[in-house]
């Protein structure tokens, strides 16, 4: 059985294991003061073309999100998000647990645009309602779509004009940046947002996300938040070594391209067989709409989530590929899908 | 230069790297549902002789502490601790950040006894003062001392009699359990406390602590707390594989014995040279009191903290050994100390 | 100018001033241990036919709501509410500030029914999503509608069957209980909910709400929460004297009847002039839909909120009457509305 | 029986009842936007000689304290206080419940001096320990002592020099300002602190404290905090009318002088009978040290707290007088004490 359930089903890229092994006996200071972390941060600052970016390596995405929002917001300030946003659904109320309301906009494709935000800003009376302050977006979104350069530029401008911070959840940002239809660079992401995180866990690391704070007003004292919320690893080197490896020679992007390519190969086959999709995705998550009968026939051999019922006959499933997915697994799935699909 | 600064200066024991490498391609469910974690938990339950112990692997000690206290306590309940307790000093207010007051007792050796707790329980009037509910102890303490079986039994009985939970911070518990003067077993720890964590990070792992909840009333729904506070790793396997390795063949205890033995070799030499100690420690942290002049001469070649000024002439330093400390480094330190010490 | 803006525009019913004056020199213990509070609680328990109801007098409605939810819920448990619910909109994120997510259902009339809740309970996977635990309803709702006995009974049964607590915000509960279409008693409210508060501030008191906890599991230690959140008044007598006055001789209900009657007189006139309403209200808040032109002509002489734009021509306004509204003010408004309305 | 237990045992000064009665029918906007509150604030600003002081009327002292600290501090910042401080003892952990650690200094007289603070500032390493940020003092202290102008000036200068905010709990500030040994003015308090509250509840009001924020950096958006924590009364007028009354014609200070004078009359008699005191107090709380035998004989006729055991024979009791204490009650107590005291 092969799992297309998630992009965190395996361990890590072998280069990371090699780097961990090679550095193992080096004595280093703890809590992120090691030389590997310093090098990884310098490399990422260079790729962002922003030598003053404040960068912190943390263990996971929910941790990155809650740390950022808890640190950036005053108690009465709220977060604006698409209702499909990870923080709205699958973080067990982590943001609210830090005291902040999330105000949601319904959007068809998981992306936020200025027109989605405007109604959320029309508040009255003051101090009876929370004050919107931070816009949370994911790129790619939780349903595989990505922001264009123009879209993110417009959103960024709108946020600036309205006193809003723009925060980007980049759990799968490498996949967005390497999608066929992408026209954003990592430096664009840094420039257009106040803070974002670059995902490692879903892109070949054992664990780790790089939280990047580009807005200088949000940078001071961030390490206090990390420590206070239990997010500062004693052996920070574990994160430093991994990001150093992933950021060298564009390994991170290479792995993302692999994941995207295999997902798109799956998508092409799905489409060739006459099926449709829940959303148009050019990244490593695709959402084919299949008859329940077909889904049942695939289930014994392949792992995946049934994402959303469409009608009595069919549902959208989610297929995820990763840096670790072997092309053969994709071929097997395509063959099985073809075998179980009625002739057309 | 060799660092006796901490027991988290290196990576991990080679057996862990081997296990990570060997398991790397195995596809596993996330969030702790992997088979490695299941095996590690089963092994630990067996060693505890408690098949119903609720066990969660988390990334670090501050995280374990704050999760436990936030989950176990009602908002108005307080924590009682020795004033040297890690949670009182070096966790950046992590416990208070979850809303709970810590009430401290001054103790000379870092250990809490019923007589230290009694004055903290004499409260009045009700609902104007917090209600003491959880006693936090560390074993070994932050200054290297350990609890005897009798001491922990007495404390446990006192807690039970007074409606108090007993929680043990075991960041270096393997060192306590293998100290020459120890008479406690891991199963004793489980039986005498309501919850504790068994440290991995300081005992040969890259990261990871095993939080063990033995009191059934505290067990339900704990994973919600993990997720909500950003402490649930997607690749829970990373923690599972490490603990599985450390718990097999008593590797964890073997590594702790190594650390203790080298620290005691250092201590013996310190004593032989006529120096005293801040505390009597049989674990891997020792606190020799040395003349500032000697400290200055050691500093270029060895890393360590100057822990506490004693008088104008001398201070206590902290020396820590670990699973990774080579005997040669200890020999070098002893030779240097001897060389810098005045003839007596 | 006369304000129909709110039912808290004046001071308090003269009987309360008299009672405050009469009791002024009596020496009493603080923090709710005074005899007036004890008598008020006993009277309310009698009216609830529930001698074990745990009752706490607090200063305001937002305070009552946040205290209850913070005390009743575990950190990962959520609140379910209609999107018009006061806690969702006009409490500045008070509930989220205690750490809890509110999950909202869109309902046309501001009331929640089992069918609104069912979709919010269908959650997966466990511990990634918050766990629904408390259903918040207002009676009357924020748009003037009330629950029938059957509706509240059904909702209560659904909550019981699904492990949900039912909490009722009764800021204007006296108006609901005295509405022409009401068939609920105060004792019903106590019996069908786990906790609720009976409003005083909007019903003739200077300040004060009576929080009633009927579910024994939620009762212990509540005073600690009051104190810890700054909600325990030293001179608790101020609240006790007021509720004692309001609960004697049904003064509270008499005042509510007055408010309802005047609002209904306004409503009848609005209807007679051919206007419609945003919602059907039998309580002291009505929401006539008027042409902007008419609204502008009324505005210099009467205070009210423009509640909701309907189209380019008209909007719903909110008119509130209270225990203090003189019939003449209502007559004046009706006359003015008639004068400004086109002949039909 | 007469209670010297507290200064909140009675209702309020008759002038307040008169003002509430006289203003009762005036229609006013809610939430502190009423004209009475505006006038009270203007009057207080004038007395502070600070027209930009940001002033908020709240219901109680614990509420004022927690609101201020929660609003002024970042999550990792701590409060420094004397261990007798009200926030350390009798607020049920209210400050910690907002997430902030309180670091205490032991002081004999309840007052903080720069020398008490210095050891608390010597922290290391950064981000592992909380960062001290706000110094909490009470004037008078919880044991009746007061700050001199020089002491408060020195403390204020020390705070400024060390990046610390100075906050003063003035639950009984009127008594401090009218004590025989006082040389501080209300304007001094405003000038030397960043924020303070002026107590009403213990000084003749039914309820109410005036929180004064003089540091402009701390002023913005404070009302959001009030609302979010349930501290914003709908009928803000209730607080406004009371403070307007108390601030006119120096009524507040006149009432405080009355309380002080009666306490000092008690103190003189205690001293004349040869008894000592726990602390030297020139305000309305005194702490005579009496034999248990005498205490027992007084107890049936007078209410007071046994504050602190001194030895097997005697204890300190607390006697409090207030604006409402009749001179006759004091005479009765003195007569009784004399009667029960052995001839000397």
């Amino acid at each position: 059985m092969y799992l297309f359930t998630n992009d965190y089903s395996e361990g890590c890229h072998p280069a990371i294991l090699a780097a961990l092994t090679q550095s193992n006996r080096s004595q280093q200071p703890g809590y992120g003061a090691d030389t590997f972390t310093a090098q990884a941060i310098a490399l990422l600052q260079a790729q962002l073309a922003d030598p003053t970016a404040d960068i912190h390596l943390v263990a996971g995405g929910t941790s990155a999100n809650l740390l950022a929002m808890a640190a950036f917001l005053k108690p009465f300030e709220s977060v604006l998000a698409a209702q499909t946003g990870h923080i709205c659904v699958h973080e067990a109320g982590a943001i609210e647990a830090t005291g902040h309301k999330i105000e949601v906009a319904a959007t068809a494709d998981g992306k936020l645009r200025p027109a989605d935000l405007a109604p959320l800003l029309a508040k009255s009376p003051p101090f009876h309602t929370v004050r919107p302050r931070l816009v949370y977006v994911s790129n790619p979104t939780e349903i595989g779509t990505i922001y264009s350069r123009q879209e993110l530029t417009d959103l960024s401008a709108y946020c600036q004009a309205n006193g809003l911070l723009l925060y980007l959840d980049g759990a799968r940002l490498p996949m967005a940046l390497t999608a066929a239809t992408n026209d954003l660079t990592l430096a664009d992401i840094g420039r257009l947002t106040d803070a974002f995180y670059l995902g490692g866990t879903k892109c070949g690391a054992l664990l780790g996300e790089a939280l990047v704070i580009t807005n200088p007003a949000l940078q001071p004292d961030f390490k206090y938040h990390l420590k206070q919320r239990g997010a500062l690893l004693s052996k920070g080197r574990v994160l430093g070594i991994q990001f150093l490896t992933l950021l060298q020679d564009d390994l991170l992007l290479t792995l993302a391209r692999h994941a995207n390519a295999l997902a798109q190969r799956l998508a092409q086959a799905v489409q060739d067989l006459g099926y449709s999709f829940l959303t148009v995705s050019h990244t490593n998550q695709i959402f084919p709409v299949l008859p329940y009968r077909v889904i049942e026939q695939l289930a014994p051999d392949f792992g995946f989530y049934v994402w959303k019922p469409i009608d009595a006959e069919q549902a959208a499933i989610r297929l995820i590929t990763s840096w670790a997915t072997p092309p053969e697994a994709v071929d097997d799935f395509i063959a099985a899908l073809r075998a179980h699909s009625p002739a057309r």
Side-chain angles (χ1 to χ4, degrees), chain A:
Chain A
M1 185 181 203
Y2 188 81
L3 306 181
F4 288 104
T5 322
N6 249 315
D7 31 18
Y8 43 82
S9 299
E10 291 88 1
C12 64
H13 188 267
I16 286 176
L17 285 174
L20 287 171
T21 303
Q22 204 239 313
S23 64
N24 196 45
R25 283 285 170 164
S26 164
Q27 283 199 305
Q28 293 286 337
Y31 304 108
D34 63 281
T35 55
F36 308 112
T37 298
Q39 290 173 57
I41 288 174
L43 210 49
L44 186 45
Q45 286 169 330
Q47 292 177 15
L48 287 162
D50 181 352
T52 67
D54 188 37
I55 299 175
H56 303 274
L57 305 183
V58 298
T62 297
S63 182
N65 289 338
L66 77 86
L67 277 163
M69 289 171 218
F72 298 165
L73 299 178
K74 292 176 192 153
F76 54 85
E77 293 177 336
S78 71
V79 175
L80 309 183
Q83 71 185 152
T84 46
H86 199 258
I87 56 166
C88 304
V89 186
H90 285 121
E91 300 191 357
I95 304 306
E96 289 88 352
T98 71
H100 300 286
K101 192 183 189 75
I102 305 175
E103 306 188 81
V104 299
T107 73
D109 60 1
K111 296 196 275 185
L112 279 181
R113 294 172 182 85
D116 301 314
L117 298 175
L120 298 175
L121 299 189
K123 285 282 180 67
S124 77
F127 67 77
H128 287 262
T129 55
V130 289
R131 181 190 287 168
R133 174 65 173 148
L134 183 147
V135 173
Y136 166 95
V137 295
S138 306
N139 191 35
T141 67
E142 293 74 10
I143 48 177
T145 54
I146 63 172
Y147 282 83
S148 72
R149 197 163 194 277
Q150 190 60 53
E151 285 172 334
L152 199 64
T153 301
D154 290 351
L155 189 62
S156 180
Y158 182 84
C159 287
Q160 284 247 333
N162 288 280
L164 298 167
L165 300 172
L166 182 55
Y167 174 86
L168 186 143
D169 182 328
R172 296 184 177 97
L173 185 55
M175 286 75 151
L177 295 179
T178 55
T181 51
N182 172 67
D183 60 357
L184 280 163
T185 64
L186 187 59
D188 289 337
I189 302 290
R191 194 174 41 79
L192 294 171
T193 65
D194 294 279
F196 72 98
Y197 84 83
L198 174 64
T201 307
K202 295 181 170 76
C203 309
L206 286 173
L207 76 165
E209 326 293 321
L211 180 59
V212 178
I213 309 174
T214 52
N215 180 336
L218 305 177
Q219 296 176 348
D221 298 320
F222 198 80
K223 275 231 156 108
Y224 279 92
H225 297 282
L226 288 175
K227 180 64 194 170
Q228 193 178 53
R229 291 189 177 272
L232 193 65
L233 298 186
S234 330
K235 294 185 182 169
R237 65 195 288 151
V238 176
L239 301 172
I241 290 163
Q242 294 186 86
F243 267 96
L244 183 55
T245 305
L246 289 170
L247 291 168
Q248 280 170 334
D249 305 323
D250 278 346
L251 177 59
L252 189 66
L253 299 183
T254 302
L255 298 183
R257 259 183 219 106
H258 174 86
N260 285 348
L262 291 186
Q264 295 308 312
R265 204 206 281 185
L266 280 171
Q268 187 62 49
V270 166
Q271 188 180 321
D272 290 349
L273 286 164
Y275 298 114
S276 65
F277 296 90
L278 183 67
T279 64
V280 177
S281 163
H282 296 275
T283 57
N284 71 321
Q285 301 188 81
I286 63 168
F287 299 84
V289 176
L290 301 179
Y292 278 112
R293 194 187 42 75
V294 174
I295 292 172
E296 278 158 30
Q297 288 174 304
L298 292 167
D301 296 321
F302 303 97
F304 52 80
Y305 282 112
V306 177
W307 193 254
K308 197 179 179 178
I310 302 296
D311 56 30
E313 302 291 311
Q314 46 187 1
I317 65 167
R318 185 179 78 165
L319 298 175
I320 304 198
T321 53
S322 81
W323 64 274
T325 309
E328 300 71 33
V330 167
D331 293 341
D332 289 352
F333 185 92
I334 293 172
L337 179 61
R338 190 171 293 130
H340 299 312
S341 295
R344 307 218 176 190

